[in-house]
Amino acid sequence: MNREPETYEELMRYKKCVDLTLHYNLTQEELDKIYNHLALDESAVVTGNKSGLVLTSNKTQPEIINAECTDSTIDGVRISDSSFTIIPHYTPSSSGGGGWSGSSSNNNNNNNNNNNNNR
């Protein structure tokens, strides 16, 4: 990333690395490694979680970069040469789950019972 992008693909890859710095603490060396990794081939992917990034590809062994996620609104990222996906933070609701009381079913049963008694 120490040079100016010359092609559209290089510009997009550069932008993804810059966008990544909005969510993770990364050194210039780590950014260069990510940029070069994405340039390897179409199978190159960077997957991130709260504690780091994993660089994977069909051509290389997985490599881990310990980088703290600084954005509490996300749980991670997934970056390839063709996409940049943010995984939003999931907070389970505290409503007790399910929330179905069955009142509609009870009303139907009561109506059926009333109809049978009126005959």
Side-chain angles (χ1 to χ4, degrees):
M1 290 191 37
N2 292 330
R3 62 185 177 93
E4 291 293 318
E6 295 178 8
T7 66
Y8 178 76
E9 288 79 15
E10 289 175 352
L11 178 63
M12 297 303 350
R13 196 174 304 125
Y14 183 87
K15 182 182 181 330
K16 289 173 188 171
C17 288
V18 170
D19 289 348
L20 189 59
T21 64
L22 299 173
H23 307 287
Y24 287 87
N25 279 332
L26 295 163
T27 66
Q28 184 63 45
E29 181 182 313
E30 291 167 334
L31 282 174
D32 289 338
K33 187 178 288 190
I34 291 166
Y35 180 90
N36 292 331
H37 175 75
L38 291 172
L40 277 175
D41 66 88
E42 291 181 4
S43 72
V45 176
V46 176
T47 307
N49 60 26
K50 288 290 194 182
S51 61
L53 302 166
V54 179
L55 286 57
T56 56
S57 168
N58 290 341
K59 294 184 176 182
T60 61
Q61 292 292 322
E63 184 174 351
I64 296 172
I65 296 177
N66 292 319
E68 177 189 358
C69 179
T70 58
D71 186 347
S72 63
T73 65
I74 70 169
D75 282 341
V77 295
R78 185 177 191 286
I79 306 168
S80 69
D81 221 26
S82 62
S83 69
F84 187 103
T85 306
I86 298 287
I87 303 164
H89 180 64
Y90 172 73
T91 305
S93 71
S94 59
S95 67
W100 246 107
S101 66
S103 61
S104 177
S105 176
N106 288 340
N107 286 339
N108 287 339
N109 288 338
N110 289 338
N111 290 338
N112 288 338
N113 290 337
N114 288 339
N115 288 339
N116 290 337
N117 291 337
N118 292 333
R119 290 184 188 180

